[in-house]
Amino acid sequence: MSDAFTVLWTQDTCRALRKEGRAGERPPVAFSGIHTSLPSWAGARPGDDVYALHVNQCAVYVVSRMRVVDTERRDCCGGSRGRQEQGFPGHSAWSMLGAGGCGASAVHVDSTPVRFDVPVPGDLLARLTWRNARGRTRNLKYVVDGRLERAVGLQGFYRLTPESAEALAELAVEAA
C-alpha cells in the first residue's frame, strides 16, 4: 500500500515557478535534501504521492500532486557533480524546486500540472491529519475560521493519514 505526504513549497519557490512560466507544466523532478530548507524525502518510496502545498495570505493551496517514480540519479539529471558544475544540469528548468539545496538529490515524479488556484477548503484544512512512524496523529495548529495563521506545522515532509490523503487526492484530481 502506498503512502502520501505533504511538502511545503515556500513563497520563493512559488515565485520562481511563476517567473519561469512553470504554471500549467508538470514537474518531472523534485529535490530532497538534508536541511530544513529542503526537507528529506527519505520516507517516500516509488508509488507514494507527495502533495506540494503553498500558503498565501492564510490560505493553503495544493500546487501539485507528485507520484514518486524513483529516487535514483539518472542520465536526465546530467553527469555527476563537479566543483564548478550545476548539481542537476538536466533539470535546470526545475532547479527552483531545490536543485541547489544542501545535500540535494533528485526525486523523479509523475505529477499533476503546477497550479496556484486550488485552495484547501477551510473545513478540510481543520480536519487534515498526519501520522508519524509510531502511528501517532496530529492536526494543524493555528487554523482559525478555516484560515492558517502560521505555516510552521506544514514545514517539512510529513506522512498523511489515509483519510487526509484521499481528501487531497480529490482536490488534485478535480484540478488536473
Side-chain angles (χ1 to χ4, degrees), residues 30-41 97-105:
F31 297 92
S32 171
I34 59 173
H35 186 267
T36 57
S37 63
L38 185 60
S40 172
W41 291 35
L97 297 182
C102 186
S105 60

Side-chain angles (χ1 to χ4, degrees), residues 15-53:
R15 189 176 303 114
L17 285 165
R18 285 183 186 101
K19 181 180 176 191
E20 295 298 320
R22 299 290 170 237
E25 295 183 20
R26 297 172 184 264
V29 66
F31 297 92
S32 171
I34 59 173
H35 186 267
T36 57
S37 63
L38 185 60
S40 172
W41 291 35
R45 304 284 177 250
D48 289 347
D49 287 334
V50 178
Y51 294 92
L53 304 178

